[in-house]
Amino acid sequence: MKENPQYDEIDLKFVNAVDEVIAVNSELGIKPNNDSSIGKEVYPTNRSIVSAVRSRSKHIPHLALINFAKRFNIDMNYFYNETPLMYQPPSITNITVKGNSIQSTGNNSTNINAGKGKIQGIYTAETGSTNTLVEVVEVNTMINNFISQIDGERVKQFLTIISKIQMESKSSSDKLERILIEKSEEIKEMRISFKKEMRELREELKETRDKLDVSLKREVDLLRELLNERK
């Protein structure tokens, strides 16, 4: 691939944009979230185009840039001047549940119909209703909706907060796991100790029973002797 400063700059911006999309989508658990899946969407004839641009073996085709900008709602000027990236993940807004269907508008508009059946397990959220879907909407969707309403800099701050929460949650889980393992070991030791104590107790009981048997035999023998003397 021949070097061209202008093409190289566009390639670099494209790779940075891809990295931003992957980072945000991975944080939220949504797709696409890797080079291959993004390449498939923006340049179907060569799904490895992102990897090729990363390795500097190819320049990013203009058609792929256009598709990338459309797919991820990015200003095309970003690739040619100082326009900020400002990637915001897709969101679902204006969710309406009525009868046997769910409808929504937004970046990911959807229309789900249960036919003659009935959609259950969610709250009605018709226009003007005070009910909400908070209890049943996935956390990722709620985060997406929130992110779609804040600016780019605060998106990064928010994702940093989410990342720290996840790290603290994992740390707490790891700590709890360690405690459970320690308690499990303690229980095992207690079980071994209990078995040992039970064995010793059984031996003591056997010894006591043997002594009682001997004592009882002596008493019986003594009683027999006394009876014989009276005859």
Side-chain angles (χ1 to χ4, degrees), residues 157-173:
Q157 295 175 2
F158 179 71
L159 291 178
T160 299
I161 293 171
I162 293 296
S163 178
K164 289 184 178 180
I165 291 174
Q166 291 175 334
M167 291 174 63
E168 289 179 3
S169 176
K170 185 178 185 305
S171 176
S172 298
S173 297

Side-chain angles (χ1 to χ4, degrees), residues 125-218:
E126 298 177 24
T127 304
S129 171
T130 57
N131 293 330
T132 69
L133 293 172
V134 171
E135 295 188 22
V136 293
V137 173
E138 291 186 359
V139 173
N140 286 342
T141 300
M142 289 189 285
I143 292 175
N144 286 352
N145 290 338
F146 180 73
I147 287 178
S148 68
Q149 300 174 43
I150 58 180
D151 60 62
E153 184 59 32
R154 286 186 172 82
V155 167
K156 293 180 180 178
Q157 295 175 2
F158 179 71
L159 291 178
T160 299
I161 293 171
I162 293 296
S163 178
K164 289 184 178 180
I165 291 174
Q166 291 175 334
M167 291 174 63
E168 289 179 3
S169 176
K170 185 178 185 305
S171 176
S172 298
S173 297
D174 292 342
K175 182 178 179 181
L176 178 60
E177 184 179 359
R178 288 195 301 271
I179 292 174
L180 290 174
I181 291 174
E182 291 174 0
K183 292 299 180 183
S184 176
E185 292 299 324
E186 289 180 10
I187 292 173
K188 286 181 181 178
E189 292 177 1
M190 289 174 61
R191 181 171 176 271
I192 293 172
S193 175
F194 178 74
K195 288 178 67 176
K196 181 180 179 182
E197 291 176 359
M198 285 297 295
R199 185 168 57 252
E200 292 175 352
L201 179 60
R202 283 197 297 269
E203 291 175 354
E204 290 178 2
L205 287 173
K206 183 178 181 302
E207 184 179 347
T208 301
R209 187 182 63 186
D210 291 342
K211 289 180 179 180
L212 286 173
D213 288 343
V214 171
S215 177
L216 180 61
K217 185 176 182 304
R218 286 177 180 174

Side-chain angles (χ1 to χ4, degrees), residues 11 16 25 96 103 109 111 114 128 149 153 159 168 184 204 213 220 228 231:
D11 289 343
N16 289 339
N25 287 4
T96 302
Q103 298 175 342
S109 60
N111 188 342
Q149 300 174 43
E153 184 59 32
L159 291 178
E168 289 179 3
S184 176
E204 290 178 2
D213 288 343
V220 170
N228 289 334
K231 288 181 179 180

Side-chain angles (χ1 to χ4, degrees), residues 7-230:
Y7 284 155
D8 291 343
E9 179 67 19
I10 293 173
D11 289 343
L12 178 60
K13 285 197 167 188
F14 172 74
V15 170
N16 289 339
V18 168
D19 288 341
E20 177 74 7
V21 170
I22 290 175
V24 173
N25 287 4
S26 296
E27 285 280 354
L28 299 177
I30 60 178
K31 296 180 180 180
N33 57 2
N34 57 54
D35 286 355
S36 180
S37 57
I38 291 176
K40 182 180 179 181
E41 292 200 23
V42 304
Y43 204 62
T45 56
N46 182 6
R47 64 183 300 166
S48 62
I49 186 63
V50 177
S51 298
V53 176
R54 281 189 189 279
S55 63
R56 299 177 62 83
S57 61
K58 287 187 178 182
H59 289 302
I60 185 67
H62 189 66
L63 178 60
L65 280 184
I66 294 174
N67 290 338
F68 183 85
K70 286 182 177 179
R71 172 62 178 81
F72 299 105
N73 195 27
I74 292 172
D75 189 339
M76 279 292 290
N77 289 318
Y78 160 77
F79 298 106
Y80 305 110
N81 55 38
E82 299 304 316
T83 301
L85 179 58
M86 297 291 290
Y87 168 62
Q88 293 183 346
S91 61
I92 299 176
T93 58
N94 300 327
I95 300 174
T96 302
V97 181
K98 187 173 183 179
N100 61 350
S101 67
I102 300 176
Q103 298 175 342
S104 71
T105 60
N107 299 120
N108 283 344
S109 60
T110 185
N111 188 342
I112 303 172
N113 194 294
K116 295 182 179 180
K118 185 177 181 181
I119 296 175
Q120 298 179 337
I122 57 178
Y123 293 102
T124 300
E126 298 177 24
T127 304
S129 171
T130 57
N131 293 330
T132 69
L133 293 172
V134 171
E135 295 188 22
V136 293
V137 173
E138 291 186 359
V139 173
N140 286 342
T141 300
M142 289 189 285
I143 292 175
N144 286 352
N145 290 338
F146 180 73
I147 287 178
S148 68
Q149 300 174 43
I150 58 180
D151 60 62
E153 184 59 32
R154 286 186 172 82
V155 167
K156 293 180 180 178
Q157 295 175 2
F158 179 71
L159 291 178
T160 299
I161 293 171
I162 293 296
S163 178
K164 289 184 178 180
I165 291 174
Q166 291 175 334
M167 291 174 63
E168 289 179 3
S169 176
K170 185 178 185 305
S171 176
S172 298
S173 297
D174 292 342
K175 182 178 179 181
L176 178 60
E177 184 179 359
R178 288 195 301 271
I179 292 174
L180 290 174
I181 291 174
E182 291 174 0
K183 292 299 180 183
S184 176
E185 292 299 324
E186 289 180 10
I187 292 173
K188 286 181 181 178
E189 292 177 1
M190 289 174 61
R191 181 171 176 271
I192 293 172
S193 175
F194 178 74
K195 288 178 67 176
K196 181 180 179 182
E197 291 176 359
M198 285 297 295
R199 185 168 57 252
E200 292 175 352
L201 179 60
R202 283 197 297 269
E203 291 175 354
E204 290 178 2
L205 287 173
K206 183 178 181 302
E207 184 179 347
T208 301
R209 187 182 63 186
D210 291 342
K211 289 180 179 180
L212 286 173
D213 288 343
V214 171
S215 177
L216 180 61
K217 185 176 182 304
R218 286 177 180 174
E219 289 181 0
V220 170
D221 290 342
L222 179 59
L223 181 60
R224 184 177 291 113
E225 289 178 3
L226 289 173
L227 290 173
N228 289 334
E229 288 177 357
R230 286 187 175 187

